[in-house]
Amino acid sequence: MPSILIIGAERGLGLGLAQTLKSQGWSVTGTSRVGADTTALAQVARVAHVDVTQVDQIEPLRTSIGATFDVIFLVAGIYGPLHNSVTEATDEEFLHIMLTNCFGPIRLAHRLLDRLTAKGTLAVMSSHRGSITLNTDPGLKLDLYRASKVALNMLARTIHADHPELSILSIHPGWAATAMGTLDGKVEAEISVEESVRGMAMVLAEHAGSGKSLYLDWQGNPLPW
Ligand SMILES: NC(=O)c1ccc[n+]([C@@H]2O[C@H](COP(=O)([O-])OP(=O)(O)OC[C@H]3O[C@@H](n4cnc5c(N)ncnc54)[C@H](OP(=O)(O)O)[C@@H]3O)[C@@H](O)[C@H]2O)c1
């Protein structure tokens, strides 16, 4: 039975992944922040806790999860302030999104590498907005979010350079109907959570354990870095 640790799994895409992979026979451990409602997650997974911005929560997480995993998937992330503009952002807004979407998850990933099996897979929830090549749409105010996902992709790929035996996947889940994807119900997304996570489960089935560093969308299509 393959095993996965999902960081940020009590709602949204993380919960969808936990439910889908459990139904496909995976052993699932999922995390939430302390105090979150984990009722749905607990039905399909062992539950642990971590806030990716809090360095002092890493060691307690390591202690509580114990085992090694075939896949560790860092899903937690934020959209950032609605304006998402580099000309409007405060220092605090920029620092917070970079800490939450990039530095926090990657710092945690480094501290969890010894919890991966010998040819394990580290996946990070990226976005097509993290592609420098694809950043050609004028007028789309996503500066902070884009910067955080570009940096996430870069530091994930760096782990592969240092650990070529591991598979490192940066995955774009599609524009999916979560709280983030709909801006809390204000806009319509392109795909459901179920479609997104079914696709990502297929991506894991095909590419986990490949020993490659790949940037792929939820349908397995390669994205340009
Ligand atoms: N939905 C989309 O269309 C879309 C598209 C591209 C990429 N993504 C990426 O997919 C990932 C999941 O997003 P989603 O759409 O599922 O959003 P969501 O429904 O808003 O869920 C976000 C998740 O991240 C967790 N989280 C936020 N800050 C955290 C922190 N400091 N420490 C630990 N967990 C934290 C949340 O936990 P709390 O409940 O405690 O807040 C929640 O579990 C994100 O990385 C996002 O950038 C989403």
Side-chain angles (χ1 to χ4, degrees):
M1 182 193 297
S3 57
I4 187 165
L5 170 65
I6 303 171
I7 302 295
E10 97 293 353
R11 65 185 173 99
L13 293 172
L15 177 61
L17 266 173
Q19 292 167 330
T20 293
L21 293 176
K22 177 71 179 177
S23 75
Q24 295 179 0
W26 289 62
S27 164
V28 181
T29 302
T31 73
S32 76
R33 288 192 269 193
V34 171
D37 179 357
T38 57
T39 312
L41 178 62
Q43 289 173 10
V44 294
R46 275 185 57 207
V47 179
H49 299 289
V50 71
D51 180 324
V52 297
T53 67
Q54 303 299 311
V55 69
D56 58 355
Q57 294 186 14
I58 296 178
E59 206 46 47
L61 173 69
R62 285 174 52 81
T63 305
S64 70
I65 58 177
T68 57
F69 300 89
D70 298 302
V71 178
I72 296 177
F73 201 148
L74 293 128
V75 174
I78 57 172
Y79 181 79
L82 255 192
H83 61 73
N84 232 289
S85 160
V86 81
T87 56
E88 290 180 47
T90 62
D91 294 2
E92 289 69 28
E93 286 172 336
F94 186 73
L95 291 172
H96 185 57
I97 194 168
M98 293 301 282
L99 178 61
T100 308
N101 287 1
C102 172
F103 181 56
I106 290 292
R107 171 175 61 189
L108 178 59
H110 276 275
R111 297 281 301 276
L112 292 175
L113 288 181
D114 65 348
R115 300 306 172 92
L116 277 173
T117 51
K119 292 190 172 178
T121 297
L122 180 75
V124 297
M125 196 67 94
S126 182
S127 164
H128 64 317
R129 301 300 181 197
S131 166
I132 290 176
T133 307
L134 295 178
N135 185 6
T136 54
D137 300 337
L140 256 187
K141 284 289 181 195
L142 283 169
D143 296 340
L144 308 190
Y145 188 74
R146 279 178 161 145
S148 71
K149 295 295 187 181
V150 170
L152 175 70
N153 284 350
M154 175 61 82
L155 295 184
R157 200 163 160 86
T158 299
I159 294 177
H160 190 256
D162 292 337
H163 300 276
E165 72 284 5
L166 299 177
S167 309
I168 309 290
L169 305 177
S170 284
I171 300 180
H172 166 51
W175 183 7
T178 62
M180 183 193 297
T182 64
L183 296 180
D184 290 323
K186 288 194 266 297
V187 297
E188 212 169 301
E190 284 178 353
I191 57 173
S192 66
V193 169
E194 292 71 26
E195 286 175 273
S196 171
V197 299
R198 232 183 293 124
M200 289 191 284
M202 283 169 55
V203 170
L204 288 180
E206 188 172 343
H207 297 287
S210 64
K212 295 180 179 163
S213 162
L214 299 169
Y215 183 23
L216 303 166
D217 74 9
W218 61 288
Q219 294 175 305
N221 301 306
L223 291 170
W225 295 100

